[in-house]
Structure formats: structure tokens, C-alpha cells
Amino acid sequence: MKHYAAGAALAIASLHASFAQAQNAPDAIDAHLNAARVAAGFDFTGTLARLCVAPPMVTGIRDVAPGPPPARETWFTEPAKVFDNLYFVGSKIHSSWALTTSDGIILIDTLFTYNSEEEIVGGLKKLGLDPAKVKYVIISHAHGDHDGGAKLMQDRFGSRIVMGGPDWDSTEKSVNAHPLGKPRRDIVADDGQKITLGDTTVTVVTTPGHTRGTLSLLFTVKDRGRPLSVAYSGGTAFNFPWSVPNFDIYINSQRKMAAAAAAANATVLLSNHSEFDNAVSKIKMLAARKPGEPSPFELGADAVARYFKVSEECAQAARLKLIESSPKTP
Ligand SMILES: [Zn+2]
């Protein structure tokens, strides 16, 4: 009997709780949106806009052929040295980062198939780096704006390709997304895996959400000789099929990466889209940097924590909106 009574009390309590939640859902959504706004401050307005301002609801994963390449002036930008051992070989929109080591280069992401040749291979050469020295290519996730040059790097330079297991699976299963061929399955990244080349180590933090195999990374750069810890966020937008479990996976990954970044005392936040980390505008600011001034990429540990707060809080808001908009059983 006691069990029954306790069970009934619990059921009533949870009924009250869900009633209260239904009553206060708009308030709760607002609270998350507001927390995201506060966390974003002036540092992450692009991330806030993309994730918190009416992100489009996605119902399924599309396996479609890429469209025709857009005009070059919409994407081309010059490569740049960002830290002593980190170079930007991305486009105006997407980032590809080249981490130089004592034994070659680790490349992070490869843009689209149509611009990886010019931006990455051409960009490395312009910077005085040899693309044949790229030993590892880490793909943050298997979407066409990040893995487009993986096959090129594998075929031409024999670079080892590192990707999350679920994203290797989706690459192999896709029918239409790779009309010019796919990279062959190579290194499957694991949580906590260390990719070491010469004197440099990149630590993998699996952050499923954006895709099931999304990889985030921790590594160290040097800024005029001073070591700085970098948190690299590998997947941001909510373009996964919208469901409460998928948002829960995403939210857990943001918390996990925030904790990993804090443990590493990361003071630099990098992403693979310039709208999230302002890489392209910061590169312009770098050109005017005076001796003794900090790098515009060095934000501090508090800002790095706030970045992951933005993505988490926007996901919380979207999750609640999804619950609110789903049909209620009477
Ligand atoms: Zn993506």
C-alpha cells in the first residue's frame, strides 16, 4: 500500500509539474533565449543569430547532390598566419585550419570540393607550406562544406583522414552527396583519442549532435612564443532531425565540450564557420596588431565558456519550442 500511495503522490506531483511546465513554457523558452543573449555578449552574435533567432526546423537528413559552385568572389579569401603554428586556409564562410608541427601538418576540415584545391592546396603554398606535408586531415563532420577536399588530400598527398565513426558510416551510405567520389574509410576517431604528429598533439572530444560523429578538438598554439589552449567546436547548427532525444544529445555535447575546454584552460575558441568565431574579421584585425597587444583570437576562458553556453541555451529553447508545438494528447 505504501508503494501505491507513494506512487500516486509522485504521479500527482509530476502532473502538477507538467501542468506548471505547460503554463510556463513561454517563460521558460524566454529564460533560455535570454541566458543565451547574455552569454553571447558582443563576442558571439553570429552564433546567437544562427541558433536562437528562429532556427529552421529540420525533419530529415538530405542526401542530395551538391549544386553548381557559387561565384568565386562570394567565397574566396586570402590565406593567413594566425598563430606561430596555426594558419587559416579557409574561405570567407568556412574555415580550414593548418596546424604545423615539427613533423608535418595537421589540417582541420577541407571546405567544399569546388574550393579546397584553390584555398587549401593553393593557400598552403602561398604561405610557404608544402601541402604534401599534411599527414593528418581531421574532418569535424561529414557535411559537404567540411569534407569536400578529403578525397583530394587522401588521393594526392596520402594524408590520413580522421573522422567520427557515425560520419564514416553516413559517408559510405550516401548515394548522391559525392558525385566526384568519397574518401576511403581511414582513421575512426574515438573520444579522448590523441592525434600526435612530431611535437604537437590534438585531443579529440566527441560531440555528437550536429551529426552523430561530430568531433571537437583541443590543442595548443603558440602566440609570439606564448602557448595558448584552443577549444575547437566541430558542429554548431541544428540541422539534424528535430526531436527531443536529438536535442538532448546536442545539449549534452555542449556541456561536455564546455567542461573539457575549462579543464584545458582554453582561452581561444575556434570553429569551422566564420559566422561562429568571426575568424575572417579577426584575421583582418590581426594585420593591425601592435607589439604587446593580445591576439584578437585570445578571448579568455570566460568567453570560451560563454560560447558553449550560447549553443546550449539556444538548444534548450528550441527543444522546449519543439515540445510546445508537438500535438498534445488530451
Ligand atoms: Zn555541418
Side-chain angles (χ1 to χ4, degrees):
M1 279 306 274
K2 259 190 176 163
H3 275 87
Y4 267 105
L10 209 72
I12 290 162
S14 77
L15 253 175
H16 275 292
S18 63
F19 182 70
Q21 193 182 23
Q23 287 283 296
N24 297 325
D27 292 350
I29 292 168
D30 274 351
H32 286 300
L33 293 175
N34 202 46
R37 254 192 305 273
V38 169
F42 292 109
D43 297 301
F44 306 117
T45 49
T47 312
L48 183 74
R50 180 69 176 273
L51 299 185
C52 264
V53 183
M57 189 185 284
V58 177
T59 51
I61 295 290
R62 284 148 34 100
D63 176 25
V64 293
R72 184 176 178 276
E73 65 266 24
T74 64
W75 53 262
F76 180 79
T77 191
E78 292 291 344
K81 182 171 186 167
V82 169
F83 289 110
D84 302 358
N85 58 334
L86 189 74
Y87 298 78
F88 179 86
V89 286
S91 72
K92 276 181 192 165
I93 302 149
H94 298 92
S95 302
S96 175
W97 298 100
L99 182 63
T100 55
T101 81
S102 60
D103 192 30
I105 300 167
I106 299 172
L107 187 73
I108 303 167
D109 270 5
T110 60
L111 315 178
F112 284 104
T113 303
Y114 65 76
N115 60 2
S116 48
E117 172 93 44
E118 180 169 9
E119 295 279 29
I120 298 174
V121 179
L124 289 170
K125 286 181 185 164
K126 274 187 192 170
L127 294 165
L129 300 168
D130 180 1
K133 295 226 168 87
V134 175
K135 304 277 175 68
Y136 290 104
V137 174
I138 304 173
I139 301 293
S140 64
H141 64 274
H143 283 164
D145 46 350
H146 306 289
D147 68 2
K151 180 177 161 55
L152 160 74
M153 298 305 294
Q154 187 176 55
D155 288 352
R156 196 181 304 169
F157 304 114
S159 312
R160 302 292 309 271
I161 312 294
V162 182
M163 198 151 72
D167 283 26
W168 277 120
D169 295 343
S170 67
T171 301
E172 286 176 348
K173 274 189 213 131
S174 82
V175 177
N176 305 312
H178 303 83
L180 300 175
K182 309 171 185 184
R184 295 178 309 281
R185 183 184 280 259
D186 193 3
I187 298 170
V188 179
D190 257 337
D191 193 35
Q193 186 171 346
K194 294 192 185 305
I195 296 155
T196 298
L197 185 62
D199 56 0
T200 302
T201 295
V202 175
T203 303
V204 171
V205 181
T206 52
T207 48
H210 181 71
T211 65
R212 283 302 168 100
T214 294
L215 306 180
S216 293
L217 308 170
L218 296 167
F219 53 91
T220 301
V221 293
K222 285 204 170 150
D223 182 42
R224 295 174 170 169
R226 201 162 54 94
L228 297 175
S229 176
V230 176
Y232 171 91
S233 175
T236 310
F238 303 155
N239 47 348
F240 45 83
W242 279 36
S243 69
V244 170
N246 281 352
F247 272 108
D248 288 340
I249 289 167
Y250 181 98
I251 289 162
N252 280 336
S253 289
Q254 304 316 300
R255 291 176 177 164
K256 176 185 177 184
M257 189 56 193
N265 191 31
T267 56
V268 177
L269 184 284
L270 294 180
S271 172
N272 46 16
H273 286 249
S274 207
E275 69 180 300
F276 302 136
D277 65 2
N278 305 308
V280 171
S281 44
K282 283 183 177 174
I283 285 166
K284 289 187 183 127
M285 290 160 70
L286 259 183
R289 185 184 177 196
K290 297 193 178 66
E293 267 181 12
S295 164
F297 283 90
E298 187 181 354
L299 301 175
D302 165 69
V304 172
R306 287 190 287 104
Y307 178 85
F308 294 104
K309 195 76 185 155
V310 175
S311 49
E312 181 195 332
E313 292 291 346
C314 291
Q316 295 278 15
R319 178 185 176 278
L320 285 185
K321 278 186 205 162
L322 179 67
I323 292 170
E324 232 205 346
S325 66
S326 53
K328 309 272 184 309
T329 43

